[in-house]
Amino acid sequence: MGAVSANPTDAKIGNQTFHIPDGFKEVNRTNGTNETSVLFEKDKATSIIISVSPKLNTSDLAQVAGDVNKTISGKNGIYNEKLHCFSYNNDGNYILVFAPDENMIADIIK
């Protein structure tokens, strides 16, 4: 499980703000027409990927094996425990977060 970071860094992606745990650094940002994706790494084996798109909705996506409806940090969405991925809608944006575990996802999106 990921440790709660005492000193998270705020990262703005699209019009959304996320709380990136201490020790993670932004290593790649891709700004597409319909999506912005950012990769943060602590080391080569520990990473966070956040994608924000104003053009998609969770209802537009096909669910894959392991997806369950879940509320994390007060946000209703779809969580996949195998992939450690949470997708949800917020302020007209579709947001996808990959992180080492659910606790870290909760800290990132709160």
Side-chain angles (χ1 to χ4, degrees):
M1 297 223 165
V4 175
S5 178
N7 300 308
T9 301
D10 285 349
K12 189 116 171 133
I13 303 171
N15 66 350
Q16 305 292 305
T17 300
F18 301 92
H19 311 288
I20 307 305
D22 191 37
F24 283 84
K25 304 264 187 264
E26 183 177 323
V27 295
N28 189 32
R29 181 179 289 251
T30 304
N31 293 307
T33 304
N34 298 319
E35 177 180 36
T36 299
S37 297
V38 182
L39 170 65
F40 300 89
E41 287 184 344
K42 187 171 191 170
D43 52 51
K44 291 294 181 191
T46 310
S47 61
I48 296 167
I49 300 170
I50 302 172
S51 181
V52 176
S53 173
K55 302 289 184 187
L56 292 175
N57 190 303
T58 52
S59 63
D60 295 333
L61 304 176
Q63 290 196 357
V64 297
D67 282 357
V68 293
N69 292 324
K70 190 162 195 159
T71 300
I72 300 178
S73 291
K75 295 169 176 64
N76 297 320
I78 300 169
Y79 180 68
N80 188 299
E81 190 173 289
K82 267 190 163 174
L83 300 174
H84 302 291
C85 173
F86 185 62
S87 59
Y88 64 100
N89 293 313
N90 192 49
D91 294 333
N93 290 284
Y94 168 76
I95 299 166
L96 183 65
V97 179
F98 288 90
D101 60 49
E102 183 180 339
N103 290 336
M104 188 176 289
I105 291 171
D107 290 340
I108 290 167
I109 67 173
K110 67 180 175 186

